[in-house]
Amino acid sequence: MFFKPMRLPLFIILCLTILLSSCSQYQRVLRKDDMGKKYTFADSLYKKGKYKKALKLMEQIVPAYRGKPQGEKLMFIYANTYYNLEDYYLSGYQFERFTQAYPQSDSAEVASFKAAKSFYQLSPRYSLDQKDTDKGLEKLQEFINKYPNSDKRMEANTLVAELREKLEKKDYEVAMQYLKLDDGLKAAIDAFDNFITDHPGSKYRKDAFYGRFLAAYKLAINSVPSLVQERLITAKGYYNSFIKYYKDTDLGPEATEIYQDIESRIVAPETEPTI
C-alpha cells in the first residue's frame, strides 16, 4: 500500500518561506557591521512590535549614533523598547538619559513622563521596602512641576495619590504592629504621632488618632504603680484630641467607654487641710 506525500497548502508554504527568509535576514544583519542596515532593520522591527529582536540590534548601534542626527530617535525608541518589554529599571534609566541628552526634543515631555512612570511601576506592595516608591513619587512630582500644563498631568497626579496611599498604609500598619505588642506601646504612640504629622489628609487619620489613644491607655494601666496616674492623664489628653475631630464616628462610643474607665482610675489629688 502506497501513501501519497501530503501536500501543504500554498498559503502555508508561502508563510514558512517568508518566515525563514525574515529570520535569515535578521541573522545576517545582526552579524554584519553595517550600522545603517542595523538601524533601518531595528526601526522596522520596533514598528512591528518585535521588541526583543529590535533590542538586540539597538544594543549594538546605540553607542555609534550618540551625537548624530539619528541618535535622538534611536535613543527614544531604545528607552521605549525597554518600557514595552516591562524592564522598568532600564527604561527609567534610559528615558532619563534621553531627557538629559535632548532637553529640547519634542519627545522630552513624553520621555520625562515615562521615566517617572517606570519608577512608579517599580514600587512594590506596601509591606516591602518603599525605597522605589519614594523615588517614584520624587520623579512624578518633578514631572508635574516641570510640565504643569501637560495632558499627562492628571494621570501623574493619580499615580502620585496611589504611591502616597501606599506609604500611608505602610506607616499605619507599622504603628498597628507596635500596638499589638505589650512592649511596643511606647513605640506605637510615637509611630501614630509621626503618622498624624506626616499624613494630614490620610484616610487612616481617624484610626491613627484612636490608635494613639488606645496605646496610651494600655501603657498606663500596665505600668508600675508610680507611673500609672501620670500616664492616665496623658491618655486622657489623647482622648480629647480624638473627640475633637472624631466624636461622632464609629469609634466614638468605644473611645468614650475607655475614657470612662480612665476617669474611674484617676485619683483626685489630696487637698491641703484649711486652718
Side-chain angles (χ1 to χ4, degrees), residues 39-224:
Y39 182 102
T40 302
F41 206 56
D43 187 42
S44 173
L45 290 169
Y46 172 82
K47 288 175 180 175
K48 293 175 183 176
K50 297 180 179 180
Y51 300 119
K52 288 184 179 179
K53 285 188 172 183
L55 183 61
K56 285 187 177 181
L57 290 168
M58 290 180 196
E59 287 172 341
Q60 292 183 352
I61 64 176
V62 161
Y65 278 96
R66 284 203 178 95
K68 294 183 179 180
Q70 305 96 318
E72 180 180 334
K73 177 183 176 181
L74 178 60
M75 289 294 290
F76 182 86
I77 65 173
Y78 183 49
N80 208 41
T81 298
Y82 280 120
Y83 187 87
N84 289 327
L85 290 171
E86 298 183 2
D87 188 340
Y88 296 118
Y89 277 110
L90 286 175
S91 68
Y93 173 71
Q94 292 298 341
F95 275 125
E96 286 201 323
R97 290 192 73 185
F98 178 87
T99 57
Q100 291 164 6
Y102 304 100
Q104 305 304 318
S105 170
D106 291 340
S107 300
E109 180 181 326
V110 175
S112 181
F113 177 72
K114 285 199 166 184
K117 195 169 180 179
S118 294
F119 292 114
Y120 159 84
Q121 295 285 8
L122 293 170
S123 173
R125 64 180 184 271
Y126 80 91
S127 58
L128 300 177
D129 183 272
Q130 295 300 303
K131 179 177 65 176
D132 286 326
T133 302
D134 289 329
K135 190 167 187 178
L137 270 174
E138 177 189 341
K139 297 300 179 182
L140 284 164
Q141 196 59 57
E142 284 177 5
F143 171 79
I144 292 168
N145 294 341
K146 188 172 183 179
Y147 300 101
N149 300 315
S150 172
D151 60 358
K152 301 289 186 185
R153 181 184 175 88
M154 186 175 293
E155 184 180 355
N157 282 326
T158 299
L159 300 181
V160 165
E162 287 181 24
L163 295 185
R164 282 180 177 164
E165 183 173 340
K166 190 180 290 188
L167 292 178
E168 290 171 11
K169 189 171 184 180
K170 170 81 171 182
D171 290 348
Y172 176 72
E173 290 295 334
V174 167
M176 287 299 294
Q177 288 302 315
Y178 284 130
L179 181 59
K180 294 173 184 177
L181 302 173
D182 291 338
D183 61 349
L185 295 172
K186 287 183 180 179
I189 294 169
D190 289 339
F192 282 124
D193 259 334
N194 292 334
F195 182 92
I196 291 166
T197 301
D198 295 340
H199 308 292
S202 173
K203 68 178 184 180
Y204 302 107
R205 188 172 171 81
K206 173 193 69 176
D207 299 281
F209 268 86
Y210 179 78
R212 183 177 63 175
F213 165 55
L214 183 59
Y217 166 71
K218 287 184 174 182
L219 180 65
I221 63 175
N222 290 290
S223 295
V224 295

